[in-house]
Amino acid sequence: LYQEHSQHIIKLIVVQLFLQIVSSKKLMRPLVLKNGKLAGKGIISILAEEVKDNRIVNLQVQARNLDKKDLFGKSDPYLEFHKQTEDGKWQVAYRTEVIKNNLNPSWKAFKTPLHSLCNGDLQRPVKVECYDYDNDGSHDLIGTFETNVAKLQEASQNATEFECINPKKKQKKKNYKNSGTVIVKSCQIVKEYSFLDYVMGGCQMNFTVGIDFTGSNGDPRSPDSLHYINPNGFNEYLMAIWSVGMVVQDYDTDKMFPALGFGAQIPPNWQVSHEFPINFNPDNMLCAGVQGIVDAYRNCLPQVRLYGPTNFAPIINHMARFAATAAQQQTASQYFILLIITDGVITDLDNTRQAIVNASKLPMSIIIIGVGGADFSAMEFLDGDDGVLKSPTGEAAIRDIVQFVPFRKFQNAAKEALAQSVLAEVPQQVVCYFNTRKMSPPKEQKPEDLLDF
């Protein structure tokens, strides 16, 4: 109760601060120490601007013949793009990487929100400054120029170069021309939607659960089994289903979820299956809400024989078939999330790697929750956080779609903690898939539609 009360107070404080910022447009507060005393004369200023624009600017620039600033080298140049605020001041909107010892640098392509650069106004002034980087922070100005996004677009099309002017050098030297030039190789404005844009724009999140019924879980009638339902009505499988399902179901309009089992012998022929509906209805494997999944799981346990092996590929390929059909649509209308709950070491690693690499091309994400105390190093490998996952033939996944979390890390944490961890990467995976393919939501949302107080 104390924890919930504290969280409620924190939310109220955050909301109050947010309303103060929005109502005043500019909020200034002195910096204070933990003891409440002033931290010198420092002041933090927070500016609020209403964002109504989901366009981004894709830019790639290079420079030529920059001034040499270093005594024992050339220059280590980088660029700063500045936005002009409402009061006429300049605010850093983007800073490129530093390129060492080069007077003709070519910076990596980058993107920045259009509203961050010019508030969506293509004619609004933008200042570009070129600096020579110094380790001690005393970066030397090479040159600067003013332009706007419209001119940057034109320059990318007709090869116009912008002269970098150093005011001090220009004042001192009569024959001064410039301190180098900047060339815009590419400047494109495109729409880029957020996860909220897709969900509120009608993109359906399709949630499916895959449950491990292999023999390594132990006899469900034994208290030592991971499938044993304790007197409180729970086990790790049920807790994982509830934790993640209660969050995901809010993004699913019909709240009807397929639930599949794998690794068990199923009636009536007792053949091993790696993609059977836990409600035993192959014509309609949908469960009504999270409670429906839980009820089907409880009913399924005494009717199957836990067996093996632990194969993931069949259930991944099962969902991939639906995702492949959705991928043919012209708008971002459907995305698929597969939650696999498992207890043991995977036995079809090569086939699973191939299945994941294939699925990375589809509107699909995979969440794996490991229950029990087994060695989950193979799951960490599939996660791909430490490197790009590749198929046995060497084909690389075009994006990371797997998130693995061991349940034991969250046994004593708040019930929301597991869901927050396993779903942390999904929104970005959704955005990455649809934006890369330039797929818009089924319906556009007006800015006022996104406000719900």
Side-chain angles (χ1 to χ4, degrees), residues 39 61 114 140 143 167 196 200 214 241 251 273 297 323 376 446:
V61 294
L114 190 63
D140 301 314
L196 186 62
M200 298 195 70
T214 56
I241 293 170
Y251 300 109
S273 175
Y297 167 75
F376 292 118
K446 298 178 181 179

Side-chain angles (χ1 to χ4, degrees), residues 211-213 220 226-229 235-238 241 259 278-279 287 291-302:
I211 301 174
D212 183 343
F213 286 98
L226 291 167
H227 280 299
Y228 175 75
I229 300 176
N235 59 27
E236 291 189 13
Y237 280 91
L238 286 170
I241 293 170
I278 64 173
N279 65 0
C287 301
Q291 184 63 57
I293 299 175
V294 170
D295 292 341
Y297 167 75
R298 289 173 177 270
N299 182 61
C300 175
L301 265 179

Side-chain angles (χ1 to χ4, degrees), residues 190-210:
V190 297
K191 281 189 175 182
E192 186 169 88
Y193 299 94
S194 68
F195 178 67
L196 186 62
D197 289 328
Y198 285 115
V199 172
M200 298 195 70
C203 181
Q204 175 73 16
M205 295 289 127
N206 298 285
F207 177 57
T208 297
V209 177

